[in-house]
Amino acid sequence: MTTIVFSDRDGTINKDENYFLGSKPNWRDQVSFLEGVIEGIRMINTIPDSYFFIVTNQAGIALQGPEFDLLTEKRLEEVNDYILEELKKRSAKVDGLYSCPYIDLDYVKRSVERGRSTNPDYVKDNHPDLKPNIGMIEKALQSLNLDRNDCDIYMIGDRITDVKMGLNAGGTGILVESSKTRERGDVEKVQSLQGKTYIARNFLDAAEFILKNTNS
Ligand SMILES: [Mg+2]
């Protein structure tokens, strides 16, 4: 069976301080990898017949105002390419990356409450690529010509939507604990989910969990 590991980007692979990475001219300086990430990806890379993908929701693309002028789809691509390059330099192999620039109506509402305006072109309620929907996972599987039923799927992320995405794909959802996940109560929420879940201390712990599972 092929093992396919998916990971969220911001807050899971790289540090996220509400950066909206790519929105500032010095965005490259804001890219820093979280503890255990490089080692964890390398560990995942050692699993026989396995692939590793990054899947990311990028709501910043849909936000409007001077703060977000620089954060275009082109910039998003540059940021993604830069992250992939930096990982590659560190011998952490990524087989692909998919991002979703759309937001749903709930996100619009929350943005308006924060005084932010949104670009109607990017408002797509329940878009298949919006987590916890599994559009991006399906795209990755299609690129490999693989069927979901023939794969062992894992999804690692710092939000409950990441965990739910893994479960929705028939796989295992892994929450990487951070101060933010605790603040939001995501740990408790994940514990109450039905299905295969794991709460990891960090990315490396998540990778070790996956490695152990594939060996058993
Ligand atoms: Mg995240």
Side-chain angles (χ1 to χ4, degrees):
M1 194 171 272
T2 305
T3 300
I4 312 198
V5 181
F6 294 90
S7 172
D8 170 50
R9 197 190 82 178
D10 304 330
T12 304
I13 297 274
N14 53 284
K15 197 163 145 194
D16 182 20
E17 302 282 347
N18 297 319
Y19 288 149
F20 289 102
L21 208 53
S23 65
K24 302 273 188 303
N26 69 334
W27 59 268
R28 280 181 183 81
D29 302 335
Q30 294 180 315
V31 175
S32 80
F33 296 117
L34 290 164
E35 190 199 336
V37 165
I38 302 302
E39 210 183 335
I41 298 176
R42 286 182 190 154
M43 184 179 283
I44 291 164
N45 293 157
T46 67
I47 299 170
D49 191 18
S50 76
Y51 297 92
F52 178 70
F53 286 88
I54 297 173
V55 285
T56 171
N57 278 1
Q58 289 296 321
I61 302 294
L63 294 173
Q64 281 180 326
E67 218 189 317
F68 300 103
D69 276 354
L70 295 177
L71 189 48
T72 58
E73 287 202 53
K74 187 172 170 283
R75 169 58 55 81
L76 170 61
E77 212 171 293
E78 281 169 20
V79 174
N80 286 337
D81 287 348
Y82 180 75
I83 289 175
L84 293 177
E85 244 170 67
E86 292 298 307
L87 289 172
K88 196 176 169 188
K89 272 189 210 164
R90 292 162 177 78
S91 305
K93 186 169 86 75
V94 183
D95 293 291
L97 182 152
Y98 294 93
S99 43
C100 172
Y102 303 118
I103 55 173
D104 60 14
L105 292 173
D106 192 51
Y107 195 95
V108 173
K109 191 170 153 257
R110 278 182 282 133
S111 300
V112 170
E113 281 165 8
R114 286 175 193 166
R116 284 174 176 157
S117 60
T118 56
N119 181 342
D121 292 347
Y122 290 101
V123 180
K124 310 254 183 206
D125 212 31
N126 206 25
H127 189 280
D129 286 354
L130 258 183
K131 297 173 189 175
N133 293 334
I134 63 166
M136 294 189 284
I137 289 183
E138 283 182 328
K139 281 180 185 169
L141 291 173
Q142 268 164 27
S143 76
L144 299 168
N145 246 326
L146 285 170
D147 191 275
R148 226 180 340 136
N149 300 318
D150 302 324
C151 304
D152 202 4
I153 292 173
Y154 295 87
M155 171 68 196
I156 308 169
D158 69 322
R159 308 210 67 148
I160 184 140
T161 45
D162 296 310
V163 175
K164 283 183 175 169
M165 187 197 201
L167 297 180
N168 288 342
T172 304
I174 302 175
L175 183 77
V176 175
E177 235 188 306
S178 69
S179 54
K180 266 193 184 171
T181 58
R182 283 189 290 275
E183 209 176 283
R184 288 190 302 255
D186 280 355
V187 175
E188 291 74 20
K189 283 183 213 156
V190 167
Q191 280 164 343
S192 69
L193 287 175
Q194 299 288 322
K196 290 179 279 181
T197 60
Y198 179 67
I199 295 163
R201 289 187 307 279
N202 57 27
F203 193 94
L204 183 59
D205 183 30
E208 281 168 350
F209 170 82
I210 295 167
L211 185 69
K212 204 173 79 196
N213 262 270
T214 55
N215 280 335
S216 61

